[in-house]
Every structure is written in C-alpha cells, then in structure tokens.
Amino acid sequence: MFPTISQNTEEEARLAVLHSYDILGDGLDKELGSLVKLAVQITKTSKAYISFVGRDTIFIKVQVGLSNTFRTISRNSSICQQTMFFDDIFLVKNIKEETDDRLSSIALMENLSFYATVPIVSAGGKALGCLCVGHTEPHDLDQFQKDALKTLSAQITTQLELRRQTADLQKQKERAENLANIFYASPEIHCVLNRNIDILFINEAACERLGYDLKKSLNTSAWEYCYIEDRQRVLCEIELGLKQGKKQFNLDFRLVDNNKRLRWIAWSMVAKGEFWYCYGQDITDSKRMEAEFMQLSYVASKVNNGVVISDGQNKVKWINDAFRRITGFDLDDIKGKPLADLIGGPETDWAEIENARKLTSEKKAFTVDILAYTKDKQKIWLSVYSSVILDENGQIDSEVEIIIDITEKKLAQQELEVLSTVASKSNTGVTICNHSGEIIWLNHSLEKLVGYSLNELMNKRLGDVLSTPQTDFNTIYLAREKAKNRESTNIEVFANKKDGTPIWLSVSNTPIINNQGQIERYIELITDITQRKLVEQEMVAAREQALQLSEAKEMLLSVMSHEIRTPLNAIIGMTHLLLESSPKPEQIEDLNILKFSSENLLSIVNDVLDFTKIETGNLHLEKIPFDLKHLCNDMINSLQVNALKGNNKLTLIYNPSIPQLITGDKTRLYQILINLLGNAIKFTSNGEIILTVSLVMKNKDKVKLYFEVSDTGIGIAVDKQAYIFETFTQARTDISRKYGGTGLGLSITKKLLQLYQSDIRVESAEGEGAKFSFEIEFEIAEQTKIEVENKIEKAAEFNDKKILIVDDNEINILIAQRILSKWGLNIEHAIDGYKALEMVKNKKYDLIFMDINMPGINGFETASLIRKTKGKYFQTVKIVALTGSSLHNEERKLKESGIDSHILKPFNPEELKKLLTRFLS
C-alpha cells in the first residue's frame, strides 16, 4: 500500500531543503496554527496537526485536539514518511475495517476511526511532511474539502518560504556589512543613510576629521552634525531634486565637529532604494579663502524700518514698503498730507508732535516716540527719527523720517543719537558711513552688541570685520550693489562678535542723497535677531518631524488595510460558500451569525483603519430604514459565546413600543453598541451584562431612544472616568496586560455619537460594575416588512461565458471559482501577470478579474500591457480590478491602465452577480 523509501542522494537533498526552513525555530506557530484550525473546521473533524519528516524523527509543529503534548515521534512509528510522497490525499474512512498492520501507527492519536493526510511539498517539489486530520468516528471528505486541504497545504509551504526568505535577507545584510568594512580605511568621508537620514554606516576617516566617536555616531541622525543654519537649504534642494526625478546630488554644506567648529564638506549623495550613499571631501580651507575674497565686496540692504520723506511744508511725498507694512497706509492714502495727522489718534501725545514740528521748523533733527494708529485703527508704538535736508538757500527742502515699530520693545528702547541726518541713542545699533560705506560714527548700543569700539571700526566696513567663513557673502555683495544704486536695503547675516560669539544680525541700510543726487552717507540700523533665528530653525525641525509622522501613519493604514482584508476575504467567502452548500438545519443559524458578524466587522474595519476620516469630519451618517430589534438580537446572539466564556449572562431588555423600522446608520449604531457590549463582557466575570433600549419620546415623525449597557464587572474609578474616552487611554495601567485592547474603542464610540448630536455618559465605581448610556433621535421609517435573506438569489445562467481570474492567492482563487462556477461560468486562473498575458494572447475571455497587488508585474501593469497589444479583442475585453486594498486616490491609475471597473475583496456575491450581469448580459 505504501512505497519504499530508498536512502540515497534524493533523500539527502530532501532533508537539506527541510532543514533550510528551520522548522524547529520560533515564529510560525500562530500562522500555522490558524491553518490547522481551519483544516478542522473545513473537514468537520476533531483533530489535526502538521508533521515534518526528518531523518529519524517526525516533528509535530502544531496540533489541534490531540490529547498528547509530544513534539517529536520516531519516524518509523508514523505513516507520514510514506504518505508525504503521494500525489494526492491519503484517506482512511474507518481504520477498524482496514487489515494493513502499518495503519496501527495512527494510534498515536488514540481512538481514531478516520484519518487523512495531504502532502506538504516545497516550492522545488521536495516532500517535507503532511497536514493530517482525524476523527473519532468513521468519516469521509467531499471534493470541496479535499481541494481545501490541498490549498491549506500550499499555504503552509508559502509560510515556510516567507520565513526562509526573511532569513536570507538577514544573511544578505551581514554580507553588506562585511563589504562596508572596505570603506573604513578610506581617507575621505563615506557614509550610508536610511530614508530618515539616520547614519547606518560611517568610516573612520569621517570620525577622525570631525573628532566624533565612531560607535556613538551610528544610528544617530545626520542632521545632528549638520550646521543648523544649512539644514533648511539642504532639505529644500533635496526635496526639489527628488520631485524632479533626480537621484544624485552635489551639495556643499557645513558640519559641526566635536570641538564645535564648523567645517565645509563637498558632498556627492546618491539615492538608491531606501538608502543614501554619501561621499564627502573637506573643503573648509577653500571656503575660507572664498570668504576672505567676498569680504572685499560692498554691503547694501533694504531697510526693514519705515522711511517717510516730506517736503518743506511737512507734507508727505514718498514712503517705502516697510512703512506700508507697519501702518497699513499706502502712498495714495498719505501723499500731500502731514504724517502726524494721519497716524495720530485719541491717545497720541500731541504735545510731543507739536514740539517735533517746532524743531523741524527750526531746521533741527529730532527723535520722538509716539503712540500712533494704523490704518485699521490698531494702536502701535513708533519711534520716529527725523532730519531735515536744506536747499542752497538754507531753507528746508525735505524732511527724512525713519520709523521703527517699537510696540513690543517700548520699555527696553533707549534714546538714539544720530549725527547729521539721524542722531539718537537706542538699544538698536546705529552706524553712519561715508559714501564708500566706511564707518565714521557708531553708537554705544552697537559697541555693546558686537564688542568693537569706534576706534577699532573707524574707516572699515562692518561686514568685513564681523564676517566669518559661514557668512553668506553673496547676500552682502548684492546689498552693497543695491546701495550704490541708491536703494535702501535690509539683510540678515551671520557674524561673529569680537570675542568669537556667533550672532545673527538684521542690518537696515539707508543711503542719504545730497542736493546733487549723489550718495553723501549711509545710515545703518543693526538688530540682534539670534533668538528669532533659533525659533525659525525649531519650526523647520518640527515641520520635518510632522511630515515623517504623517508618512508613517499613511503607510501603517495602507498595510493594515491590506493585512486585515486578506483574512476577512477567506472568512466571508467561506461563509457564503458554506451557506450555499446545503448546511444542516442546526448549522444555518450559526453560519448566519458568522456572516452577520464578519460583514459588519468588514464595514467597521474600513472606517477604523481610516480613523482620520472621523477626526477631519469626512465621515457622514447614512439614513436607511432598518429593524432595530433585529439588529439588537443579532448582536446579543453573536456575543453569547464570548459571554459564556466568562460565565456571564447576556440579556436584552427592549421596549415593545419602539417602532419596528427607524431610519439611521445601522452600521455606526452597531459599532457603538458592539464596542460597549464587548468592553462589558471583557471586564466582567461570573456576572451579568444587560443591553437596555427604552423609548424616551415619540411623535408622528421622530422617536428618541435611550440606550444603556450595564455590567457587574470591575468598574471604573471615579478619578479615571474623565479620560477613558481619550485615544489609546485605559482606566488602569494593567488593563491592556490583563484584558487586552488598545484603548481606541471608547474614543471611536464618543466620536460616532457626536455625529448623532449625542454624548455618552458613564456611571461607575471601582469594583461595582459600570453603566454607559446615551440618547439618539431617529426618524420613523415607513413600517413595511423587511425580508432578511440568508441565501443569495440563484443567479441567471451566463451562457458558458469564459472568465479568467488573475490572483497570486490560491484561497482567493478557490473562493472565486466556487462562487462563479455556480452561475454557469467557465473559470480559468493565472497566478501572476506574466501567466495572464500568455493565457490572454492564446485564448479569448469574456471577462478578466485582475488582482492589483501581485509580485512581478502588478495588476495595473498587466492590464496596461493587455491594452497595448494589437487587436480589437485586447482593446475591448472587460477587465475588473479585484483587490483587497482600498483604491483611494487610484482613479487615475485605473483609467490609464484600461481597467473598466473594480470590486473590493471581501466581495459580496450579490454585488459580484450585479457586476457580471452588467458586463456579460
């Protein structure tokens, strides 16, 4: 009955493949355990296990229903060593009727009457072991059950392959690390960064040049070493380049060495996959030479303070942009009018203004601080520095006023001393320069600000003295060129004080023009803006962190959507198939509960995974008629099993006066109640849980209902009740460890109730149970009977239409084949895009179901290749995307690839039938 196994090289090759999967290692018990449980459910047996056949020993990886807890048995004591080589399932309906003594080895599962095995074969065709099922009574399997066992066996092999591939990737990583050692001896800087700019590799030369510890530098962010003022520039250049499709960048920016000194590095950076490969050369000396050269250029900037020029009669004839920004007045508002008359107001000190006008008439310069008003009547403190320009006859030709917004600095400001055009004393640094830009006077505030005295700066350019290799000399050069052209300028530059302390300065330069139209002198107002620059840099870092968190969240939601939908597809698909396979009468109710729960779970999952949809207000309630009592009964029935596990009594108290049909969002109400009931069951043992639905108000059109979920469980401390509805928050620190859960359910419940214009209330005390309640107002629906159908209406024949299913998941193919074959369709399948292209070119199909996420070429690419093939058939054959992931923002890809429609997995047979009718009828 069984073949003889020869001890030869083939057996050695088989054992080598088996051991390559590391079957004794951890990490697959959960996945394989789920498949073994599914085998028991599908075959309607009581016992199952997976055996891997070694040289002398059989290893039992997972088991269900066996009384023994052994993990290994002798190879000679099991028939798995023979049946693993079978091409088909080995099945014994009644062991007691068999005469072959070798079947006695099945006694390892005592009292078995029925036994069946299906081989587990590697991707290369090597026998590894068996998936075994057994029953204590005589039994048999139908063809569907046999096919399902074969599919489960293939899934076991898939899990083993995934595990081995992960191990192989780890080995590849180790080889890459060995290769990296070659670069440690390089005299130049080499490093490898990940997508988050964390340092994965850096050679010793880099650490020697910068003075950092090699080991401590690994896994730290490269941004920590980049000079903070260069980060935004570098980030912008990289982001712009990546958007334009660039993969290689040549950038110069500064690093901070271990002694806090700045070093210029010329970088060559290449993006490949998830990594950045970087090569750097120290160019500090060349940059220093460049800086010294740039110090010879002129400085000029546009004043960031207001400037107003008036004629000899004190009427405004010109203002600059800064004045517009400060006061809101433009030239049309103020031209030809006295300045004070426009900016003055009820609380303005008019005595100060009259005194200022008197000084002007006496041809004297002055400084005055006044409370003024903007165009929109907002109060603002202004410091006005005024000087007069005389004509050839000694009469007032013009009045120049420099205006500074000192609203936030009023208490700290001192009087400015400005010689010639402007003379004042202030906390703001002031210099007066000759027509060549060389300093001829400065105030005490500037001496305190930079540490240099007037004697040290006399006849020198301030930018030449204070500049460092890190100063942006191009900005200084452009400002000086503008100043030569009589333009007021304002720049922000990095500099060093006399003692070497770094400082950021805002320099406002105003040229003073004489009667011949030539530049007579310059006035510079200089402010320390170091603190503001630090705040700006912190904002850039915060923005970068927020972008990274957003990307991580989007990736998590995408992965979770696919991973949750995949098992749901199997559950829902199998449920529909079992309901159509003439189940026993006593099984129908159980299957209906399973169908109800799984479909509602799918609906809830769709919105829970996209929690931001609730937070941003993009989730809207449906308004459809539904039977509330039927919904409550379904929930109670579906939760009875969980309640009984804790020896709890689960009860529904329902007011019979409530109308049978109401209008609302059935799924959201289900989600609210199932969260509350689930929590009550989880935190209650040997107690009682009650769902109460009462009538609060009823009129012709509307009804207000009171919902209450009470339990006799562990309760909630009074001081914890205020924040149990916060996201990821639980009442006690040990709740998650003892009872499970994430703390998200009550947060979702509260947000959903807010959509109903309602709120949730809680009454509880620790150790005395809990009561959650809320009220919702519904519209009363037309009281017509709603039929609840448990079976899909028999589909019309589709006249032997030919369907091609393209999917790399065999369970998905099995479910689709079982459903579609009942409707008279001829079904064929392809496991990837390459096979699909071959089949479509050799045979004509009426409809193609195309999985989107497949290895090799995905569904979009496969559909696009079909449409590009010459011939009318390839342009007109209907293609429907069959996917387990939401196609959010994928409409463009669908259209471009030529896909006609799509249907989400898990798919509802009724929806699938409508789609077939649409395309095949």
Side-chain angles (χ1 to χ4, degrees), residues 708-806:
E708 176 184 296
V709 176
S710 61
D711 64 68
T712 58
I714 63 175
I716 307 167
V718 175
D719 60 338
K720 306 295 184 183
Q721 295 175 15
Y723 60 83
I724 60 174
F725 297 100
E726 296 178 6
T727 305
F728 304 114
T729 302
Q730 296 181 326
R732 298 206 312 260
T733 57
D734 63 342
I735 289 294
S736 180
R737 175 174 54 82
K738 294 177 65 176
Y739 299 97
T742 64
L744 187 61
L746 287 178
S747 175
I748 295 175
T749 297
K750 184 177 182 65
K751 291 180 180 296
L752 290 174
L753 281 172
Q754 289 172 352
L755 296 178
Y756 275 108
Q757 306 299 315
S758 181
D759 198 5
I760 191 166
R761 298 179 293 272
V762 58
E763 299 176 25
S764 181
E766 194 163 12
E768 299 181 7
K771 179 169 68 177
F772 291 85
S773 61
F774 58 89
E775 294 180 356
I776 297 180
E777 188 175 273
F778 297 95
E779 294 180 2
I780 300 176
E782 184 179 354
Q783 302 301 297
T784 57
K785 185 177 181 181
I786 293 181
E787 296 291 340
V788 180
E789 296 182 330
N790 293 323
K791 292 186 178 181
I792 302 168
E793 181 183 354
K794 184 177 180 181
E797 297 293 333
F798 288 107
N799 299 323
D800 292 327
K801 298 289 186 179
K802 296 179 181 62
I803 304 296
L804 175 61
I805 303 173
V806 186

Side-chain angles (χ1 to χ4, degrees), residues 299-304 307 318 320-321 478-491 507-513 517 519 521-524:
V299 62
S301 64
K302 183 178 181 180
V303 175
N304 64 348
V307 176
W318 183 86
N320 68 346
D321 289 337
L478 293 175
R480 288 176 174 176
E481 290 300 313
K482 288 183 179 180
K484 288 181 180 180
N485 293 325
R486 308 174 190 177
E487 295 182 45
S488 297
T489 58
N490 177 64
I491 60 173
V507 183
S508 301
N509 183 297
T510 302
I512 305 301
I513 312 300
I519 296 176
R521 60 176 62 92
Y522 298 97
I523 298 175
E524 290 183 327

Side-chain angles (χ1 to χ4, degrees), residues 107-119:
L108 64 92
M109 295 182 295
E110 62 273 17
N111 299 324
L112 284 185
S113 292
F114 169 76
Y115 182 74
T117 68
V118 59

